[in-house]
């Protein structure tokens, strides 16, 4: 006769603090996007704005696992990625409203926000446009022999694009020759993260 012991696992205080912090960040992104929607529909915001509502957990979960020196590339729905990687909401709003105090001096708008200081190489209005940028950034990282990875966010529709498939093929080569540093084989430090939009 065998007995099965029941064991109740409890979350550590560190786990609980992590969950609370991540929940707060997701809620902050949602509130930011709701405010963006309000500004967009009332028309004081120039240009377009594609919202990140409903995808907050993706950006927060991925960016929480990254270090500050790691890079991200983003999509036309990039507000959540920017905020999760450490951008400030006030400079984000300034950018969306075309103000000089924005991340790109008000010239990038909703779909082209970048913040190199937090490792955000930028959002991209071209479907799949972030993929070759991420591949190139990963290649530069490898060439410079620097630490860190590049995380590329892209929607599921981007993966039918020719340039995306070419970039994936390039990055997926298990080993390739670095012509600049002899015949040292290596792969690229890039993660392609597919979001279901």
């Amino acid at each position: 006769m065998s007995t099965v012991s029941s064991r109740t696992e409890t979350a550590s205080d560190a786990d609980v603090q992590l969950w609370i912090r991540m929940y707060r960040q997701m809620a902050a992104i949602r509130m930011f996007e709701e405010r963006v929607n309000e500004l967009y529909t009332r028309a004081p915001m120039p240009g377009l704005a594609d919202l990140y509502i409903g995808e907050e957990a993706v950006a927060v979960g991925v960016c929480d696992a990254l270090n500050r020196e790691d890079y991200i590339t983003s999509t036309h729905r990039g507000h959540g990625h920017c905020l999760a990687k450490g951008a400030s909401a006030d400079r984000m709003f300034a950018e969306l409203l075309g103000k000089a105090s924005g991340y790109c001096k008000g010239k990038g708008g909703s779909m082209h926000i970048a913040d190199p200081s937090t490792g955000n190489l930028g959002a991209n209005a071209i479907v799949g446009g972030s993929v070759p940028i991420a591949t190139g950034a990963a290649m530069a990282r490898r060439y410079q022999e620097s630490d860190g990875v590049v995380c590329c966010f892209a929607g599921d529709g981007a993966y039918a694009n020719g340039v995306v498939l070419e970039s994936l093929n390039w990055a997926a080569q298990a080993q390739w020759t670095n012509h600049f540093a002899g015949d040292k084989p290596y792969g690229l430090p890039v993660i392609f993260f597919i979001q279901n939009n």
Side-chain angles (χ1 to χ4, degrees), residues 44-104:
M45 190 172 80
L48 300 171
D50 289 300
L51 302 177
Y52 197 67
I53 289 177
E55 299 178 52
E56 298 88 352
V58 173
V60 171
V62 171
C63 290
D64 191 73
L66 299 175
N67 295 319
R68 188 165 181 90
E69 66 273 6
D70 293 330
Y71 294 146
I72 65 166
T73 61
S74 188
T75 70
H76 61 289
R77 299 181 191 277
H79 307 154
H81 304 136
C82 292
L83 292 166
K85 193 66 171 83
S88 69
D90 58 341
R91 288 193 66 195
M92 291 275 295
F93 275 121
E95 183 62 35
L96 295 174
L97 294 169
K99 307 289 184 187
S101 56
Y103 278 107
C104 302

Side-chain angles (χ1 to χ4, degrees), residues 17-197:
Q17 292 305 313
L18 171 67
W19 298 335
I20 290 170
R21 180 172 50 79
M22 292 176 86
Y23 176 79
R24 285 181 176 156
Q25 195 169 24
M26 287 187 289
I29 292 170
R30 173 64 64 98
M31 288 185 284
F32 180 90
E33 292 294 78
E34 288 172 348
R35 181 71 173 129
V36 168
N37 189 46
E38 180 186 324
L39 289 169
Y40 178 68
T41 55
R42 284 194 302 118
M45 190 172 80
L48 300 171
D50 289 300
L51 302 177
Y52 197 67
I53 289 177
E55 299 178 52
E56 298 88 352
V58 173
V60 171
V62 171
C63 290
D64 191 73
L66 299 175
N67 295 319
R68 188 165 181 90
E69 66 273 6
D70 293 330
Y71 294 146
I72 65 166
T73 61
S74 188
T75 70
H76 61 289
R77 299 181 191 277
H79 307 154
H81 304 136
C82 292
L83 292 166
K85 193 66 171 83
S88 69
D90 58 341
R91 288 193 66 195
M92 291 275 295
F93 275 121
E95 183 62 35
L96 295 174
L97 294 169
K99 307 289 184 187
S101 56
Y103 278 107
C104 302
K105 302 193 184 313
K107 297 179 180 173
S110 174
M111 294 188 202
H112 297 98
I113 294 175
D115 180 17
S117 71
T118 60
N120 180 359
L121 299 180
N124 201 305
I126 298 170
V127 174
S130 61
V131 178
I133 293 170
T135 303
M139 193 166 114
R141 283 237 142 143
R142 189 58 77 199
Y143 173 70
Q144 295 166 348
E145 297 183 357
S146 62
D147 292 333
V149 299
V150 180
C151 183
C152 173
F153 292 98
D156 50 335
Y159 286 84
N161 243 339
V163 71
V164 171
L165 298 175
E166 292 166 1
S167 298
L168 293 174
N169 187 43
W170 181 260
Q173 300 302 315
Q175 296 183 356
W176 62 285
T177 302
N178 180 348
H179 297 288
F180 301 106
D183 291 331
K184 180 181 174 187
Y186 54 75
L188 294 182
V190 60
I191 302 165
F192 297 102
F193 197 87
I194 304 170
Q195 293 183 181
N196 182 355
N197 288 327

